[in-house]
Amino acid sequence: MRIGELSKRTGVSPRSLRYYEEQGLLASSRSDAGQRHYSDGAVQRVSLIRQLFDAGMSSRVIATLLPCVDVPDDLGVAEETFTAMMRERDRIDADIAHLIQTRDAIDVLIRANSRHRAELSTGPEPVARST
C-alpha cells in the first residue's frame, strides 16, 4: 500500500510516517517512480509505534524496543530490550513522583487561597476611597 493508504488506515499523517522511516521505526520499499510502498503489517507496526509514543517514549527509545518485535527469538535482543524497558519504567515512575509533588504543592496553594477568599468574603466592607 502507498503512504496515503497507510495514513488513512492508521490515522497517522504522511509526514509522521516519513518521520518514522527516518528514525528507523518503519520500513518501506520504493517503486521505480520512487513512491513508498508498505506491507500490510505496517498498519500494526504504526499502531504499536503510536502506543509507544503515547506512553511518552522518544523515537530513540522506541528504536531500541522494536528489535524485540522484529527478532523475538534472539536472547541478546531480548536482554537489551528488557534493560531499555526497565529504564523507561523508571523514568515514568520518576515523572509520576514529580507530578504528585507538583499536585501536592498546588493543593497547599488551593487551601491557602480558599482561606484567603473566605476571610475576604466575611471581612468588613472595603471603604471607598475618595478621589
Side-chain angles (χ1 to χ4, degrees):
M1 84 187 80
R2 295 199 319 225
I3 195 166
E5 175 69 16
L6 182 59
S7 175
K8 187 182 296 183
R9 289 177 63 181
T10 61
V12 174
S13 72
R15 181 177 179 175
S16 292
L17 296 172
R18 286 189 291 274
Y19 173 78
Y20 297 168
E21 273 195 71
E22 290 169 12
Q23 300 303 306
L25 308 177
L26 183 65
S28 69
S29 59
R30 297 291 181 123
S31 69
D32 291 338
Q35 294 179 326
R36 289 175 167 86
H37 289 272
Y38 299 92
S39 69
D40 289 336
V43 172
Q44 215 173 0
R45 177 75 164 218
V46 170
S47 176
L48 174 61
I49 292 167
R50 287 303 324 147
Q51 287 177 321
L52 297 172
F53 272 124
D54 290 346
M57 295 181 192
S58 68
S59 58
R60 180 187 54 77
V61 170
I62 293 170
T64 64
L65 300 180
L66 289 176
C68 190
V69 174
D70 298 333
V71 191
D73 296 331
D74 185 320
L75 179 60
V77 168
E79 290 294 331
E80 288 176 28
T81 303
F82 178 79
T83 300
M85 286 187 285
M86 292 302 294
R87 215 176 18 250
E88 273 306 292
R89 189 178 196 296
D90 291 344
R91 180 194 62 79
I92 290 168
D93 284 343
D95 288 350
I96 289 168
H98 181 260
L99 287 170
I100 289 170
Q101 289 174 342
T102 302
R103 184 201 56 206
D104 291 347
I106 290 172
D107 285 345
V108 169
L109 293 173
I110 289 170
R111 285 191 297 275
N113 181 272
S114 294
R115 285 190 304 271
H116 181 68
R117 286 182 307 118
E119 290 168 5
L120 289 175
S121 67
T122 60
E125 290 294 316
V127 177
R129 294 186 186 177
S130 55
T131 53

